[in-house]
Amino acid sequence: MKELFHIHTYRCKHAKDEADELYIKRAVELGAEKITFTDHAPFPGNPFGNRMDMEELTEYVDTLSELRKRYQDIIDVGIGLEIEYLPSFKDYYKWLKESGKLDILILGQHMYELADGGYSFDLKSKENEEYGLAQAMIEGMNTGYFSVLAHPDRIFRRHKEWDENMTKLSLDIINVAMDRKIPLERNLSSMKRKRQYWPQFWELVPDAAEVVVGLDAHGVKELEMVLEY
Ligand SMILES: [Zn+2]
Ligand SMILES: [Zn+2]
């Protein structure tokens, strides 16, 4: 694999406490030509956990930009963010996109905004969360701000078995991604976890669709996932 895509950093608070440069050095050892960081994006006011704080965003971009320069003859360093689509923050995505400092925004829909302004993590029953997640992903793709759809099949993580509704929802997602020319991410970390990676989803993806492989690494050691792939 030439590009190690979808890499997190210690800033998200649930990754290993390892320096960004260690990821780059390991990527070089593994023979990669590019490493793309997409840490969990902050939101203004820091309303959510498990991500960098808003105050860290400048440092994140500056540190990686400096490393990109230092390693330019050895490996490419991509600088991006993984982020959920939440309609209340529409202006923020625009601001991130127009800042010109990020190479890529990837849509990783781990939760979604409810009609009353709350968020899906507050729902008592998350049994049907795939509908809200899919809806948010589709709306997000239609904004044009996002360049890759991260782990689309992970929305079914609460299901034990594949059913017809999942097929329908998957096709809705795949069709919008194809219309918008947004690559779907086959996520290597999902493959290691129960019910996050669904071969039934990928069987529905036509050959004409663009697919990227992402590691979703939260530690330097996890870069070695590429050796198994
Ligand atoms: Zn994470
Ligand atoms: Zn991720």
Side-chain angles (χ1 to χ4, degrees), residues 22-193:
L22 294 178
Y23 286 87
I24 297 173
K25 285 186 167 159
R26 188 70 185 121
V28 172
E29 284 170 6
L30 290 166
E33 291 172 8
K34 182 169 184 178
I35 177 167
T36 297
F37 289 89
T38 55
D39 205 1
H40 294 283
F43 280 92
N46 302 322
F48 314 116
N50 270 329
R51 58 195 60 240
M52 69 176 81
D53 294 334
M54 200 60 209
E55 294 70 23
E56 291 176 292
L57 182 57
T58 304
E59 181 276 329
Y60 169 72
V61 173
D62 288 353
T63 302
L64 291 179
S65 302
E66 215 180 287
L67 286 165
R68 164 152 64 193
K69 230 183 268 167
R70 203 182 315 155
Y71 281 84
Q72 61 185 355
D73 297 328
I74 305 163
I75 187 168
D76 276 344
V77 176
I79 308 170
L81 291 170
E82 175 180 21
I83 190 164
E84 295 82 357
Y85 177 65
L86 308 171
S88 294
F89 291 93
K90 231 175 191 161
D91 295 342
Y92 176 54
Y93 304 106
K94 189 169 188 286
W95 178 80
L96 285 174
K97 189 91 182 163
E98 289 175 356
S99 72
K101 292 185 170 168
L102 296 166
D103 303 314
I104 190 168
L105 282 182
I106 73 173
L107 183 55
Q109 200 72 45
H110 306 98
M111 49 141 170
Y112 63 95
E113 197 172 310
L114 305 172
D116 65 4
Y119 296 96
S120 57
F121 50 73
D122 293 322
L123 290 173
K124 274 203 197 88
S125 163
K126 296 184 179 67
E127 220 171 290
N128 294 314
E129 72 171 354
E130 70 269 23
Y131 292 97
L133 290 169
Q135 187 56 35
M137 274 158 56
I138 287 169
E139 274 176 43
M141 286 192 280
N142 282 328
T143 64
Y145 292 135
F146 309 100
S147 310
V148 167
L149 186 64
H151 45 63
D153 45 342
R154 203 182 280 183
I155 64 169
F156 302 123
R157 65 191 168 152
R158 297 185 201 276
H159 278 258
K160 293 199 173 99
E161 273 171 58
W162 191 265
D163 63 33
E164 258 172 60
N165 286 328
M166 292 160 77
T167 298
K168 212 178 146 293
L169 219 45
S170 298
L171 288 173
D172 289 347
I173 293 165
I174 293 164
N175 287 335
V176 175
M178 288 184 74
D179 280 351
R180 294 272 168 189
K181 298 188 168 45
I182 297 172
L184 300 159
E185 183 206 39
R186 228 183 240 274
N187 189 285
L188 298 188
S189 288
S190 288
M191 288 182 192
K192 292 193 173 290
R193 300 186 199 127

Side-chain angles (χ1 to χ4, degrees), residues 6 8 40 82 216:
H6 193 158
H8 291 279
H40 294 283
E82 175 180 21
D216 212 348

